[in-house]
Amino acid sequence: MLRNEEHNEAPFLYSREWMLPDRGFFRFDFSSIRRPGPSVAPMPEATEVCRYLRSQFHTPASKLKALRAVSVHMYISAHQLRNLLLCFTCGEDRQEVFCMLHSRTVDSANMLGPSLLFNEAVFGEADRTAVFSRLGPLHLLSPLNPEAVPYRCCLAIYEERRIVEFLVRLTTQEAGGKVLRLCSDGRYVAVNA
């Protein structure tokens, strides 16, 4: 899936009618829908990669380059991803690592919940917003643990509308399901269906 498309640094909306120009620079974010199968296990070699990245003799750019080179050959757990993320300072480098490895993580429910993506020690609000912008909200929806995540959806945006449709369907079909609204005083109250 393409996101954040730019041609010669001018944003545009990619559609079927768009033709690839003969010249210029095309920039975009891409997120694959492929994920590890249910029988795939995390690789213990991720510990060695982490040890290498923690070395003080490497610049962030060289660490990212090394991680890119091996990332296509490894599957990791959410815990291993957290350790790899913490080898980088907050900001663009950490965002890049998450975007690079989110589709290589075998336990996405843990990755997309409060232990990683919504953990303030790993991602601040600005970093999390940037990751959502790059990957898209549907790629970061955890259908197994949707209740542990705050949602702010614009119904005019297709992906965000699909999330609301999913959550409403889940709420109406699951026994005891309910939608909660966060009040200004910090309390959650049930919203009538």
Side-chain angles (χ1 to χ4, degrees), residues 18 33 35 45 49-50 52 86 105 114-115 122 125 128 141 143 152 161 165 191:
W18 184 77
I33 59 171
R35 297 293 183 267
E45 292 84 358
V49 174
C50 228
Y52 173 80
L86 295 177
T105 305
S115 63
V122 179
E125 188 60 37
R128 193 171 22 261
L141 173 67
R152 184 180 190 102
R161 184 176 190 83
E165 289 170 353
V191 176

Side-chain angles (χ1 to χ4, degrees), residues 145-162:
N145 291 328
E147 68 278 350
V149 177
Y151 297 94
R152 184 180 190 102
C153 298
C154 175
L155 298 178
I157 298 172
Y158 174 77
E159 288 180 276
E160 295 179 21
R161 184 176 190 83
R162 296 292 297 165

Side-chain angles (χ1 to χ4, degrees), residues 9-25:
E9 298 183 16
F12 70 95
L13 292 176
Y14 174 79
S15 68
R16 291 181 191 201
E17 294 79 34
W18 184 77
M19 300 294 290
L20 185 63
D22 294 332
R23 297 180 187 170
F25 294 95

Side-chain angles (χ1 to χ4, degrees), residues 54-86:
R54 285 196 178 114
S55 169
Q56 297 177 357
F57 304 106
H58 303 287
T59 65
S62 66
K63 289 179 183 182
L64 282 171
K65 187 175 182 178
L67 192 54
R68 260 189 218 98
V70 300
S71 66
V72 297
H73 303 290
M74 53 193 271
Y75 291 105
I76 57 175
S77 68
H79 179 75
Q80 290 169 324
L81 176 57
R82 178 188 166 103
N83 289 339
L84 289 167
L85 287 166
L86 295 177

